[in-house]
Amino acid sequence: VVGNTTTNSGNSTFARVGKGVPNGSGGRTWSLLARTEPYPLSKTAFDHLFNGIIASPDGQYLYLNSGSRTDHGEVESNSNLYPNTREVALTAKILRLPATGTGLVLTNDLNLLRQAGYVFADGTRNSFDFAFAPNGELFATENGPDRDMSEELNWLRPGLHYGFPWRIGGADNPQQFPTYDPST
């Protein structure tokens, strides 16, 4: 299971991933598999947080969605508490954690996350639901932004970038171009 907790007077959040192991008497023994360091919230409707989670067919890994903190990659500074902040190391990606892990700490440092082997795929906006195909390939649905852009169904593969925030639903996000004027 995955849950999110706000902290820092509601300006930050952290996620916790719990695992329940059958205890032999019909119940489960619960423990902390992983938690993130606190990371900045945008304090908008676009804080997608950690949500979708699925175990690999062999039970060796958990795949975990960490949604974006923006709608379409715009600056969300939270009343200038986090100036010029768009996404951070812990957002807009799919993480892969060992199911046997205990007390793992997911830092808000992209290099450390990659070195630990936790980043499975990058550039996802909010892959809130996962499924494995019969051949073991991982797919996820992804909702699009409030702009008129398509939803996505992604075949998730290790090490790939799925375009967010510069491509959404197979189309270029105009925000990436220097001539884009969001007021128009």
Side-chain angles (χ1 to χ4, degrees):
V1 296
V2 61
N4 303 277
T5 302
T6 57
T7 186
N8 185 25
S9 301
N11 294 306
S12 302
T13 189
F14 64 92
R16 293 173 50 92
V17 181
K19 67 177 174 180
V21 177
N23 62 15
S25 62
R28 295 186 178 275
T29 301
W30 290 91
S31 64
L32 179 68
L33 181 117
R35 69 169 178 79
T36 70
E37 290 181 336
Y39 64 91
L41 288 170
S42 67
K43 289 186 88 170
T44 68
F46 307 119
D47 281 311
H48 295 100
L49 307 175
F50 279 68
N51 49 48
I53 188 168
I54 192 171
S56 61
D58 63 7
Q60 298 299 305
Y61 295 99
L62 292 177
Y63 294 83
L64 179 64
N65 175 62
S66 175
S68 67
R69 62 180 297 281
T70 67
D71 181 44
H72 53 276
E74 73 281 8
V75 169
E76 290 290 2
S77 64
N78 189 343
S79 299
N80 216 31
L81 184 61
Y82 306 113
N84 299 314
T85 302
R86 296 173 190 268
E87 299 305 325
V88 297
L90 283 168
T91 62
K93 59 188 47 65
I94 306 299
L95 302 173
R96 184 179 81 165
L97 307 177
T100 57
T102 302
L104 303 174
V105 177
L106 307 177
T107 64
N108 195 22
D109 180 311
L110 186 56
N111 289 328
L112 292 177
L113 290 170
R114 284 190 172 138
Q115 287 171 8
Y118 297 148
V119 177
F120 182 75
D122 222 343
T124 55
R125 181 176 181 274
N126 187 27
S127 297
F128 59 91
D129 200 11
F130 296 105
F132 280 97
N135 65 358
E137 293 171 342
L138 180 59
F139 290 85
T141 55
E142 185 163 303
N143 67 324
D146 279 357
R147 305 186 82 246
D148 187 17
M149 299 183 92
S150 298
E151 312 291 313
E152 295 180 19
L153 173 63
N154 290 315
W155 171 20
L156 297 172
R157 292 170 282 171
L160 293 185
H161 192 285
Y162 288 83
F164 181 83
W166 308 125
R167 286 193 55 83
I168 302 171
D172 283 335
N173 180 351
Q175 183 168 281
Q176 68 182 301
F177 304 112
T179 57
Y180 176 67
D181 180 359
S183 68
T184 61

